[in-house]
Structures are given as C-alpha cells and as structure tokens.
C-alpha cells in the first residue's frame, strides 16, 4: 500500500507541469474569447449612445456580436435580456444612462467570472505572472471602453440639450473610470520586463491631442460643444484599438513561453514513461479527465446555487486575499453586510418561492450596481456581503445608500399583491476599523446588529468610539 502511495505521489509530481499547461492553455483560449466578446459589446454600447440619425453603424455592429459565444460566457437568459433590450433601444424606451449601465453590467459579469481563475492560479510564478498581465489588460481595455462610452454620452447630451455639461452621475463615473485606468496600468507595469513595459506605456498612456482635449473638457465639468458624438467615438476608439493590439502582442509572448513550458514537461514525461512504470499512463489519463472539467467543478464549488453570487466559503478566501493586498499596497477597501429586514414576513405570507425570487432579484441589483473590480457574495439566508476596493468612507456610504434605494424601489408581483424588500446595511473599512479581515468583518457585523436592534432600515458606518463596540 505504501509503495502505491509513493508511486502515485511520484507520478503526480512528474505530471504536474502538464496539468498546469492543460489548464492554462484552456483558460488562455477562454481569455481570448472574452476579449472578443467584451470588444463587440463595448462597440455596441458606444454606438447605442449616439443619436439615431448618426447611428447607421449600430445594426451592422449588432450582427457582429457572437451570441453563441456570449451564451457560453453569461448564459441564455442574459442573451435573451440583451435581445429584448435592443428592442427597447430601437423604440427609444430607455435613456442613455440605462443604456450605459445595461451594457456595462453585462461586461462586468463576464470580467467578474474570469477573476476567479487568476485567484486560483498555479504555483509556477512565471505562469501566474503571464496570466495576471492578460487579466489586467482586459480590465484596462474595459475601462478605456467605458471612457469612450461616457465621452460619447457627454457629446450627445451637449448636442441635444443646448451645450449642457454631463449629468453629475456621469461626470463622477467618468472621473472614476480615468482613475481606475491609471490604477490598473500601474499594476500592470510592475509585472512586465523593461522592453515590454516601454511598449505598454507607449500604447496605453499615449493620447492624441484631440483625446487629451476631450478629457480636459469633461474632467473640468464643461460641455463638449464642438464635438459630434461620432467624432468623439472615433477619436477614442484609436486608443482602445492600440491597447487591444498590445494585448495580442503580449499573447504572442505568452504563447511562446507556453510552448517552451510544454516541451519541457513532455520531455520529463517521456523520461518517466521509459523508466517502465505501468500504472503511469492510467494515472495520466485520470489527471487529464480532471483537468477537462476543472472550470465546471470550480464554479460549482464557489457559487451560491440560488443567486449565482459567490458563496460564503469563497468570500472568506477572497476577502482575506484582498485585505492582504490592500495592506501590502497601502490601499483601502470597504465591507458592506446587507440584511433583509422583512424576509421572514415575506416567506410567511407569500411562501418560500416568492422568498427565493426576492433573493434572486436582490442579487441581480447588487451585480448591476457593483463595479467590475468589486465582488459580492451571499453570506447565508438573507444576508449578503459586498467588498468595494479602493474606496473611502464617503464613497462606501454613498454606494450603500444608492443600493438601498434601488432595492427598496423594487416591486415583485405576487398573487397577494406586490412585495418590496427592505434592507439594513452595516459598513466597516480597512484600515480604519481593523488591521485584518476578521476585525473588519467583526466591525461591520457589529454595526449591522446595532441597526437591527435600534434602527432597522438604515445604513451606518462603524464608529470606534460608539458604545456598541462592547
């Protein structure tokens, strides 16, 4: 028995490089599919924001969107929702803000899913570095795409409303998008060698004179008076295209490294096979069977089956990692714990089927509201947790109040009338309220318990000097 165990361990050590190669090769292809889908949706988002008289390219772009690939990434229900939303856009039943949010939320869902794979990435440092670069580039491409969409939004508003500046919420989103492009780009450059870093800076940071001017006007809170929306779209598309070209350039570098890695792993396998271990080939077959279904197994293990959000086990793992990253890079984050105040009465009066509908609707609202850099989980029962990266207290409080309003404005139709969920939200921040993830969670939980006892339906941030700490 001991002999078999030792042999199995030996075989696993020998085959481990090929396990990692098979898994990463699969996920590299997945990331490249994500780039294609995200790119198609980004273009459709930008064109949908342009006034119909200038929008001759929109229908042509819609036909380019690969709905089958999109279905594999986000599911049939989301694709049907996209088709239905297109009809609303054509019939002018949605405004520009709704258009921007709808497409941005679909793309955020795609990017949220790929983050799982780099969190779980291999122990080979070089492979991890390459995967991290590719994922980071996808986020930079999306934030550049958001900048394009928001700039088109502002140009269209100025054209239709007598040179009016961007609405406040769009201006704030624009400033945040510029900020996050900078954050992700700085993070990217740390993982690149000198030559590749120089090329990345050239492709990502370099803006045309017109693009610089557009940024300055919008950032100053002024209207884009003399810019047609289609012209703005074309100007910024040039930069988005350069970043995508850099992604493909880096993908070529990565593919070369993967080929070398595979050759080395295969040579190692040949040596072991020639040593004459009969069980080895059977063991190898078992390993590859597992690697084929790796993503499905992983997804089932980290998601809540009812809401599709992450489960509590995965939340604890990622929350710990994010707090450690915040500590290392001197950043802040906020934890929100959300609890449904009237969930038990809803279940008692309308039944558990309606209760489940409420939970699923609440999860949808959370997904729509959070940024692609944030994450949310169902903690258990009627409790949800949300982690907002790189935010201060005022931003976390504003986010929570907006989310609370969106949830409480939701009306779910039942046979006994409409149901509107009511929520309480407790907030704690790192590093303000705790030196590690456990302390931050404890503070958010404490303030939520206090709300539930004394002031249901409110949003509060933990205050260290308050008596409820004891």
């Amino acid at each position: 028995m001991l002999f078999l165990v030792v042999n199995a361990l030996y075989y696993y050590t020998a085959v481990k490089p090929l396990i990692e190669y098979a898994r990463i090769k699969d996920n590299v292809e997945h990331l490249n599919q994500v780039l294609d889908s995200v790119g198609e949706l980004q273009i459709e988002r930008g064109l949908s924001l342009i006034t119909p008289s200038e929008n001759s390219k929109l229908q042509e772009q819609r036909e380019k969107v690969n709905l089958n690939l999109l279905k594999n990434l986000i599911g049939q229900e989301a694709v049907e929702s996209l088709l239905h939303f297109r009809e609303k856009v054509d019939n002018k039943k949605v405004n520009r803000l709704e258009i921007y949010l709808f497409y941005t939320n679909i793309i955020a869902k795609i990017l949220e899913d790929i983050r799982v794979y780099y969190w779980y990435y291999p122990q080979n440092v070089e492979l991890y570095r390459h995967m991290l670069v590719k994922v980071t580039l996808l986020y930079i491409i999306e934030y550049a795409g958001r900048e394009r969409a928001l700039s088109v939004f502002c140009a269209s508003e100025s054209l239709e409303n007598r040179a009016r500046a961007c609405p406040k919420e769009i201006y704030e989103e624009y400033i945040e998008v510029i900020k996050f492009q900078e954050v992700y780009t700085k993070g990217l450059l740390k993982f690149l060698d000198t030559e590749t870093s120089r090329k990345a800076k050239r492709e990502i940071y370099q803006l045309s004179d017109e693009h610089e001017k557009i940024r300055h006007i919008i950032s100053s809170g002024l209207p884009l008076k003399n810019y047609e929306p289609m012209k703005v779209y074309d100007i910024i598309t040039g930069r988005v295209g350069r970043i995508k070209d850099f992604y493909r350039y880096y993908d070529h570098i990565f593919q070369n490294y993967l080929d070398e890695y595979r050759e080395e792993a295969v040579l190692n396998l040949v040596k072991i096979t020639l040593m004459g271990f009969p069980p080895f080939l059977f063991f190898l077959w078992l390993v590859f069977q597992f690697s084929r279904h790796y993503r499905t197994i992983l997804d089932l293990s980290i998601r809540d089956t009812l809401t599709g959000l992450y489960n509590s086990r995965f939340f604890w793992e990622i929350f710990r990692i994010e707090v450690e990253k915040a500590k290392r890079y001197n950043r802040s984050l906020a934890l929100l714990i959300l609890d449904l105040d009237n969930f038990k009465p809803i279940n008692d009066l309308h039944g558990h089927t309606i209760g489940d509908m409420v939970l699923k609707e609440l999860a949808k609202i959370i997904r729509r509201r959070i940024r692609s850099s944030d994450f949310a989980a169902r903690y258990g029962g009627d409790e949800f947790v949300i982690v907002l990266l790189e935010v201060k207290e005022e931003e976390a409080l504003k986010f929570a109040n907006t989310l609370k309003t969106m949830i409480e404005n939701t009306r779910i139709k039942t046979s006994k009338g409409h149901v509107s969920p009511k929520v309480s939200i407790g907030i704690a921040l790192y590093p303000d309220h705790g030196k590690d993830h456990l302390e931050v969670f404890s503070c958010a939980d404490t303030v939520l318990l206090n709300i539930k006892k004394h002031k249901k339906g409110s949003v509060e941030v933990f205050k260290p000097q308050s008596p409820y700490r004891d």
Side-chain angles (χ1 to χ4, degrees), residues 207-215 227 231 235:
L207 306 180
S208 67
D209 292 341
E210 289 287 356
H211 191 165
E212 286 274 18
K213 191 174 178 182
I214 290 168
R215 266 198 185 181
Y227 285 91
K231 181 183 177 183
I235 288 168

Side-chain angles (χ1 to χ4, degrees), residues 304 306-309 338-344 346-347 352-367 378-384 407 410 412 419 421 423:
D304 172 61
L306 177 66
T307 63
L309 296 176
L338 182 152
D339 186 87
L340 276 166
D341 294 329
N342 59 339
F343 188 62
K344 189 176 185 304
I346 290 173
N347 270 338
H352 290 281
T353 302
I354 299 300
D356 287 349
M357 285 175 61
V358 169
L359 293 174
K360 286 194 279 190
E361 188 61 32
L362 194 145
K364 284 182 185 176
I365 293 169
I366 291 173
R367 260 198 299 268
R378 182 185 178 196
Y379 191 69
D382 58 349
E383 280 193 336
F384 294 79
I407 291 169
T410 301
I412 298 169
V419 171
V423 296

Side-chain angles (χ1 to χ4, degrees), residues 72-97:
N72 292 335
L73 293 172
I74 57 175
Q76 180 63 36
E77 185 180 342
V79 171
E80 289 173 1
S81 176
L82 170 64
L83 297 174
H84 180 61
F85 191 81
R86 285 174 174 177
E87 291 178 10
K88 288 185 175 181
V89 173
D90 293 340
N91 295 324
K92 300 181 183 178
K93 292 183 178 178
V94 287
N95 59 37
R96 285 196 179 90
L97 180 57

